[in-house]
Amino acid sequence: MNLVSISQALLVAEHLSFSRAAQVLGVRQSAVSRRVRALEDELGVSLFERESGGVRVTEAGRRFFDRSRAGLAEIDFAIRSAGNAGCAGEGVVRIGILSSLSVGFLRDLLVRFREEHAAVAVDILEGSTREHIAGINERRLDIAFVAGEPQAPRCDVALLWQARVFIALPDGHPQADATELYWDLLKNERFILSREAPGPEIHDFVIQRLASLGFSPSVERYHVGRETLMHMVALGFGISVMSETGTATQYPGVVFRPLPTDQDLLPYSAVWLPGNDNPALRRLLSLARSMSQVRSIAARAGVTT
């Protein structure tokens, strides 16, 4: 069975479109259609229901793709492992990230790691917590740094750091000149959040914090990234919430104000497979734990690191 055909069928399933899959591959749509049709003939089942607006994955297709995706991930892992073993370098570590690298613990960690292990290649992928945990289990990622302490089957999870939570306000907002904010000043505000990572984690945090104070927040979620969301704040759609890692970037018409209490810290964790024996991963984990311990001791002593 042709692995190229399976890979192309997986891409069609991801985009639910033959034309989009062909664009991504840089080939003709007819070529993708022929390969997928030949694969269906070989399997003896239909993987897709063709419709005028795109395609829908059949139940047989869903089962086939679930198994195929994991199988191809194992093949990719085997190829990468063999390549790393055969080269003179010290390997590669594949990292999933959720937060910005502009400031904060994760940025400092990667700077230190690259200084101390310059021969290790670092491959970084942005995505949601769910996507990263799936990537770790499928061995497409070695480690992910995510918000909270997620339930991750078969994975180890370690809380490493906490980030201050900030409110994003339009610069004409009545609270824009405040040096810090409290939730009771925001209980009647409309919050706008992203559905993209790390929007779901921020959404859960906002709901939990306001509910714990007896408030029922007004929250609207949009399929936009951080930059577009901040422009929407500037335009008066509502106010938003951001971890301090995202506040280093300035947006026209937007100001960031911190929530100062100890409850307004967003925890971040590392997630990895305990059976992953990648030496580069082990070195990164060791450094992350060491830096986390130093920062924890400094925080208790009231020292900023």
Side-chain angles (χ1 to χ4, degrees), residues 105 159-161 287-298:
F105 181 92
L159 178 63
L160 291 178
W161 79 95
L287 178 60
R289 283 170 163 154
S290 175
M291 289 178 57
S292 175
Q293 185 176 24
V294 168
R295 292 199 175 203
S296 179
I297 292 172

Side-chain angles (χ1 to χ4, degrees), residues 8-76:
Q8 292 192 2
L10 280 166
L11 198 58
V12 174
E14 179 182 342
H15 292 283
L16 296 179
S17 168
F18 281 92
S19 61
R20 179 57 183 153
Q23 289 174 4
V24 172
L25 291 167
V27 300
R28 292 180 181 275
Q29 179 178 336
S30 58
V32 177
S33 297
R34 282 197 302 271
R35 279 193 177 275
V36 173
R37 181 65 73 184
L39 177 61
E40 290 176 318
D41 291 343
E42 189 170 358
L43 292 171
V45 297
S46 294
L47 300 175
F48 302 102
E49 290 183 4
R50 278 77 168 171
E51 301 171 349
S52 59
V55 299
R56 187 178 71 84
V57 178
T58 65
E59 179 60 23
R62 183 189 64 78
R63 295 186 182 185
F64 176 75
F65 292 133
D66 285 347
R67 296 293 180 90
S68 298
R69 192 174 289 110
L72 288 176
E74 286 295 330
I75 293 173
D76 178 66

Side-chain angles (χ1 to χ4, degrees), residues 5 41 58 71 86 97 106 135 144 150 171 177 200 231 240 256 264 304:
S5 297
D41 291 343
T58 65
I97 67 169
L106 186 53
D171 57 11
D177 292 331
H231 289 313
S240 193
F256 297 107
D264 295 314
T304 302

Side-chain angles (χ1 to χ4, degrees), residues 27-251:
V27 300
R28 292 180 181 275
Q29 179 178 336
S30 58
V32 177
S33 297
R34 282 197 302 271
R35 279 193 177 275
V36 173
R37 181 65 73 184
L39 177 61
E40 290 176 318
D41 291 343
E42 189 170 358
L43 292 171
V45 297
S46 294
L47 300 175
F48 302 102
E49 290 183 4
R50 278 77 168 171
E51 301 171 349
S52 59
V55 299
R56 187 178 71 84
V57 178
T58 65
E59 179 60 23
R62 183 189 64 78
R63 295 186 182 185
F64 176 75
F65 292 133
D66 285 347
R67 296 293 180 90
S68 298
R69 192 174 289 110
L72 288 176
E74 286 295 330
I75 293 173
D76 178 66
F77 179 72
I79 293 171
R80 288 172 179 264
S81 296
N84 293 339
C87 69
E90 296 185 19
V92 60
V93 60
R94 296 160 298 168
I95 302 172
I97 67 169
L98 188 67
S99 61
S100 168
L101 294 177
S102 56
V103 295
F105 181 92
L106 186 53
R107 178 188 176 90
D108 294 344
L109 171 63
L110 293 179
V111 168
R112 280 275 306 276
F113 184 77
R114 287 178 59 80
E115 288 175 348
E116 297 178 13
H117 305 285
V120 175
V122 177
D123 189 6
I124 296 177
L125 176 70
E126 286 188 318
S128 68
T129 297
R130 178 183 58 80
E131 291 169 339
H132 287 334
I133 291 174
I136 289 169
N137 277 303
E138 294 171 3
R139 294 186 178 271
R140 291 182 285 106
L141 291 174
D142 292 302
I143 189 170
F145 297 98
V146 302
E149 297 179 85
Q151 297 296 315
R154 300 185 296 279
C155 297
D156 280 350
V157 178
L159 178 63
L160 291 178
W161 79 95
Q162 294 179 310
R164 174 67 56 192
V165 174
F166 283 69
I167 301 296
L169 304 166
D171 57 11
H173 191 278
Q175 301 296 332
D177 292 331
T179 55
E180 55 190 34
L181 293 176
Y182 295 88
W183 287 108
D184 59 346
L185 299 173
L186 307 171
K187 60 185 178 181
N188 296 320
E189 297 284 348
R190 175 186 294 129
F191 289 85
I192 60 172
L193 303 173
S194 173
R195 293 184 181 271
E196 309 299 325
E201 289 76 15
I202 295 292
H203 173 267
D204 292 346
F205 176 84
V206 171
I207 296 298
Q208 290 169 6
R209 287 293 290 127
L210 285 170
S212 70
L213 298 171
F215 305 140
S216 180
S218 170
V219 179
E220 295 182 8
R221 301 171 66 193
Y222 296 88
H223 284 288
V224 298
R226 180 187 293 114
E227 181 174 355
T228 298
L229 188 70
M230 291 301 100
H231 289 313
M232 292 174 67
V233 169
L235 291 171
F237 280 73
I239 68 173
S240 193
V241 179
M242 185 176 291
S243 166
E244 66 182 318
T245 56
T247 61
T249 303
Q250 298 299 310
Y251 300 93

